[in-house]
Amino acid sequence: MRTNVRIARVAGIEIGVNWTWLIVFGLVVWSLGARVFPAEEPGLARVTYWAMAAVAALVFFAAILLHELGHSLVARREGVEIEEITLWLLGGVARLRGQMASPGGEFRIAVAGPLVSLAIAVILLLVAAFLPLPPAYDATIFWIGYINAFVLVFNLLPALPLDGGRILHSALWGGRRDLVWATRVGTAIARGVAWLLVGGGIALFVFGVAEGGIWLAFIGWFLDVAARAEERQVLAEARLEGLRVRDLMVARPVTVEADQTIGQVMDEVAHLHRHSSYPVLAAGRPVGLLPFRCVAKTPRGAWDERLVRDCMLPREEVPTVPEDESAADALQELAQNDVRRALVVDDGHLAGLLSLADLMRMAQRRSARR
């Protein structure tokens, strides 16, 4: 998942918004303004309902952000690097880089978010219950408190990658001290929960609750996909234990120059060395990555006019890893990036090229041997 817009930086952590977040934000505002608030507090002006809906949606997503910050700040204390927090279609996600050092560390990181949500829900529900507020304020605060409580309960389901699934995973890992076994068992439980949700969604759809049934089934399907993806990644990281980037990278990869034309690349490089991408150099230093698909899409008549620098992915969009980084950490970084390749840089100079395919192939070989 890629962040489209970075909106803030909190405690040194980048906060971003993915375009899919706009979809659910719009749906929440529409649902609250057109249906929920008019039913709860009849007699208010239409503009009041839409103002309540906009405020409730913004505060709700702020609460999700606080939830993810809870995870991130505790992760930092546990020595895990935080890449960024992104708001997207199904809420928020904190991208952590690095492996959990212990079951206890995973538990503390997992439980931090729900504790933040619990505090928000309790405070807002108490305010709505005991303070004499105007109807518009009371309904808005109550809904935000209620929805945080609902999200908290749902998030504690024992299904990876939900917080409840991570708490269960940490308990399984701590009980047997076997990360691979804990991941396999945790994934099996998560998939069972996911398919129960899918079944429940289908039942709701059949019995006439179409909207709720479709959403429930979609969330169940998403959890199943996410759980399987997490299992593959954790098992692959375990198989790569002890390996470094230098052990798997392509040393001295075929490169192109930023000031070459596409025609020169085709005639002098691609004709002899057909690869899916080429590191781009300028004055001997890496400045980007040239995907061959971009070369192929360039009209033949523009080959002698278009430069590599106009077609390449700039370096800030391409993952960069050092030679001595663990292969497991590199796998985690590449799996979270659409480029699926990393420039291996040593003292500012290109040392090699690493691809996600290289890492997965090695993990599969080691798995087959075991």
Side-chain angles (χ1 to χ4, degrees):
M1 174 182 44
R2 299 192 62 170
T3 298
N4 285 15
V5 181
R6 285 181 170 81
I7 58 174
R9 189 176 183 87
V10 179
I13 301 170
E14 293 283 352
I15 309 298
V17 174
N18 183 265
W19 68 268
T20 57
W21 174 81
L22 296 174
I23 297 174
V24 72
F25 180 80
L27 287 173
V28 170
V29 172
W30 174 81
S31 177
L32 292 175
R35 297 166 54 186
V36 175
F37 287 146
E40 289 184 359
E41 294 291 343
L44 300 178
R46 181 174 295 275
V47 68
T48 301
Y49 292 132
W50 290 110
M52 292 165 62
V55 170
L58 286 172
V59 176
F60 170 56
F61 281 103
I64 290 177
L65 178 58
L66 290 174
H67 175 107
E68 297 300 333
L69 279 171
H71 287 309
S72 300
L73 295 177
V74 174
R76 180 180 288 173
R77 290 180 57 187
E78 296 291 333
V80 180
E81 183 181 345
I82 301 97
E83 293 276 333
E84 66 178 354
I85 296 174
T86 304
L87 295 176
W88 71 301
L89 180 64
L90 294 181
V93 59
R95 287 178 54 189
L96 310 180
R97 182 179 179 185
Q99 296 174 297
M100 299 296 174
S102 67
E106 182 180 35
F107 173 81
R108 288 185 289 274
I109 293 171
V111 80
L115 288 177
V116 172
S117 295
L118 177 63
I120 293 172
V122 169
I123 291 170
L124 293 180
L125 290 175
L126 287 175
V127 167
F130 294 107
L131 290 184
L133 299 170
Y137 289 80
D138 184 71
T140 304
I141 292 172
F142 176 80
W143 183 86
I144 299 169
Y146 159 79
I147 200 66
N148 270 279
F150 176 81
V151 170
L152 169 65
V153 172
F154 177 81
N155 204 30
L156 288 177
L157 289 175
L160 290 167
L162 298 179
D163 293 335
R166 297 200 183 282
I167 291 170
L168 173 63
H169 181 265
S170 67
L172 294 170
W173 183 12
R176 190 156 167 173
R177 292 289 166 178
D178 187 334
L179 177 61
V180 172
W181 176 84
T183 302
R184 290 190 185 280
V185 173
T187 301
I189 295 172
R191 296 194 68 191
V193 172
W195 283 104
L196 283 175
L197 293 177
V198 171
I202 294 172
L204 287 175
F205 184 84
V206 170
F207 287 104
V209 189
E211 184 179 341
I214 291 171
W215 269 105
L216 192 62
F218 171 74
I219 291 171
W221 169 82
F222 171 80
L223 287 178
D224 180 70
V225 171
R228 285 185 289 135
E230 179 143 334
E231 179 185 37
R232 287 194 298 270
Q233 182 162 329
V234 170
L235 295 182
E237 289 173 1
R239 301 307 185 206
L240 294 173
E241 185 178 359
L243 292 176
R244 297 286 169 183
V245 167
R246 66 169 61 90
D247 301 322
L248 298 173
M249 71 181 188
V250 176
R252 296 184 296 279
V254 177
T255 62
V256 296
E257 293 293 326
D259 290 328
Q260 280 184 293
T261 65
I262 298 299
Q264 288 174 318
V265 170
M266 293 296 290
D267 293 339
E268 301 171 12
V269 181
H271 178 69
L272 299 174
H273 308 282
R274 181 64 63 90
H275 297 297
S276 59
S277 59
Y278 303 89
V280 181
L281 303 181
R285 294 182 178 273
V287 294
L289 188 70
L290 178 67
F292 186 78
R293 66 177 182 273
C294 180
V295 175
K297 288 179 181 178
T298 302
R300 192 178 186 89
W303 279 8
D304 293 331
E305 299 174 2
R306 194 174 191 190
L307 299 179
V308 167
R309 66 171 68 255
D310 300 325
C311 194
M312 71 180 188
L313 295 172
R315 180 168 168 176
E316 55 267 21
E317 294 182 14
V318 182
T320 302
V321 296
E323 289 184 86
D324 60 351
E325 182 170 298
S326 73
D329 286 348
L331 172 65
Q332 190 176 84
E333 183 168 356
L334 291 186
Q336 294 175 342
N337 192 288
D338 292 343
V339 178
R340 297 295 194 257
R341 283 169 179 75
L343 299 171
V344 184
V345 178
D346 179 29
D347 193 27
H349 296 279
L350 183 70
L353 183 67
L354 181 70
S355 74
L356 183 62
D358 295 331
L359 292 163
M360 295 304 296
R361 273 195 295 270
M362 177 56 72
Q364 289 168 0
R365 287 176 194 160
R366 285 190 154 196
S367 177
R369 290 172 193 160
R370 294 186 184 186

